Amino acid sequence: MSIRIVVYGSPAPQGSKSFKGLAKSGRAILAESSKKVRPWRQDVKAAAEQVRAQLGLALLDEPLCVRMTFTLPKPTSAPKRRVTLPSKLPDLSKLVRSTEDAITDAGVWRDDARVVECTASKRYPGEGVDALDAPGCVIEIERLLP
């Protein structure tokens, strides 16, 4: 069985964290350096929670395969009449990181460490398999049975 989650929003990479000081407990206080990460993670979490509720999914706690296709806004400077690939920022691996963390927060899987196989791609709207018509991401999760 494949679980398909479609998220509309502006994909944002999980960036570096900046040190803000120490808490009374002595632990470091870290803040996300990018302001775009929180809204993206909220969009992913909401879409994942909705799919989880619709399917009545139990928490996944087994080896998983994940495919993600990120649709990014096409720059105005990009050619309009031919397919082009988004080979600039943001980093694909950082997009995956922020999206996996949001799926964990949504309670779809116990931890993103359960992902043993991951395929990801970046596309512009309407240009390629699973590319959306607006910025966002298509996420497919499959259980891998040994």
Side-chain angles (χ1 to χ4, degrees), residues 5 7 12 14 36-50 52 59 68 70 94-112 137 139 141:
I5 303 168
V7 184
Q14 185 79 33
K36 297 176 182 179
V37 174
R38 180 173 291 187
W40 172 244
R41 286 182 61 172
Q42 289 172 340
D43 291 341
V44 173
K45 182 179 178 184
E49 287 174 337
Q50 183 178 11
R52 197 177 113 226
L59 185 70
M68 298 183 192
F70 294 93
K94 290 182 179 183
L95 289 171
V96 169
R97 236 171 67 203
S98 65
T99 304
E100 284 180 339
D101 287 350
I103 294 170
T104 302
D105 292 345
V108 172
W109 54 45
R110 183 164 309 284
D111 190 74
D112 54 5
C137 185
I139 305 159
I141 305 168

Side-chain angles (χ1 to χ4, degrees), residues 62-120:
E62 58 207 298
L64 301 169
C65 171
V66 178
R67 280 185 301 283
M68 298 183 192
T69 302
F70 294 93
T71 303
L72 303 174
K74 190 167 186 172
T76 54
S77 61
K80 306 293 180 257
R81 296 175 195 236
R82 68 180 162 97
V83 173
T84 54
L85 297 174
S87 59
K88 306 242 186 238
L89 292 175
D91 292 2
L92 185 59
S93 58
K94 290 182 179 183
L95 289 171
V96 169
R97 236 171 67 203
S98 65
T99 304
E100 284 180 339
D101 287 350
I103 294 170
T104 302
D105 292 345
V108 172
W109 54 45
R110 183 164 309 284
D111 190 74
D112 54 5
R114 301 305 275 156
V115 176
V116 298
E117 192 175 310
C118 180
T119 309

